Amino acid sequence: MARRMIIAGNWKMNKTPSEAVALIKELIPLVKNDAVDVVFCVPAIDIIPAVEAVKGTNIKIGAENMYFEESGAYTGEIAPNMLVDAGVSHVILGHSERRGYFGETDLDINKKVKKAFEHDLTPIICCGESLEQREQGITIDWIRQQIKIAFLDITADQAKAAVIAYEPIWAIGTGKTATSDQAQEVCGAIRDCIREIYDEATADAIRIQYGGSVNAKTAPDLFAKPDIDGGLVGGASLKAEFGDIVNYE
Ligand code: 13P
């Protein structure tokens, strides 16, 4: 089955609301590509103006995080129905920066994945190993554990609609992109893991992105790999270069 490519920008903690609108206006003509799902994951405060700015284009707006409760006394958090009401379709969950700086665990991420599906939000579920883990030779074991916990109690139909982003921590923001063979090896292992948990049809349908210093030069080789269905792009998503990444062919 031919999977549709999905290329998402993760803006991280960059761009004020007015800067966000200006950047979106600059990028709209550059990221046109009907063969690719294009998502801009923006800071929470930029979501409402961003949704307005992309009206009538091929761009979808995503959030960078979300809490796993419906509402209540959780100062500073954002609930799933707030994202939906604002016009968000995708949400990044379990980014290594959330895990590393804010203590998010695999079980927290599983709770968020469940909540996202309850609200028909498409989760972009992040996983990835540190340099130390890669050097210890435990990359695949580590990623399989992250995936198995993230997908606890998630049905096959839900999993088919999910997006997984494989982002080796040593490649994020370092300019050190994983080679396309390294990225394919892990993305293939992730698909094998999904096949073991569910079945062939689910493994075939789920989309797996690579993230970590993706740029206009590295994107074509990465995106040509059989188990890589697009990218989650940080730094290069804030520049005109993102247009070249979306139009990588
Ligand atoms: P960079 O593309 O800046 O390395 O960031 C990758 C990333 O973390 C995307 O989520």
Side-chain angles (χ1 to χ4, degrees), residues 166-183:
Y166 166 55
E167 300 204 307
I169 296 168
W170 48 270
I172 295 177
T174 57
K176 230 173 120 181
T177 322
T179 66
S180 51
D181 287 340
Q182 284 173 324

Side-chain angles (χ1 to χ4, degrees), residues 19 28 44 49 51 54 60 66 71 87 104 107 111 114 125 135 155 159 163 174 179 212 221 232 236:
E19 288 169 350
I28 284 172
V51 167
V54 301
K60 298 211 166 66
M66 177 194 89
S71 65
E104 287 192 16
L107 275 174
K111 288 183 193 164
K114 283 189 218 164
I125 304 160
E135 286 170 354
T155 68
V163 178
T174 57
T179 66
D221 275 355
L232 185 56

Side-chain angles (χ1 to χ4, degrees), residues 138-193:
I138 60 167
T139 296
I140 304 287
D141 292 331
W142 176 258
I143 304 280
R144 284 173 57 87
Q145 172 164 317
Q146 288 184 320
I147 295 298
K148 284 185 176 177
I149 300 175
F151 282 86
L152 284 175
D153 300 322
I154 300 300
T155 68
D157 279 345
Q158 290 172 330
K160 282 182 184 131
V163 178
I164 295 172
Y166 166 55
E167 300 204 307
I169 296 168
W170 48 270
I172 295 177
T174 57
K176 230 173 120 181
T177 322
T179 66
S180 51
D181 287 340
Q182 284 173 324
Q184 164 57 31
E185 183 194 8
V186 180
C187 291
I190 292 170
R191 203 175 301 285
D192 291 343
C193 184

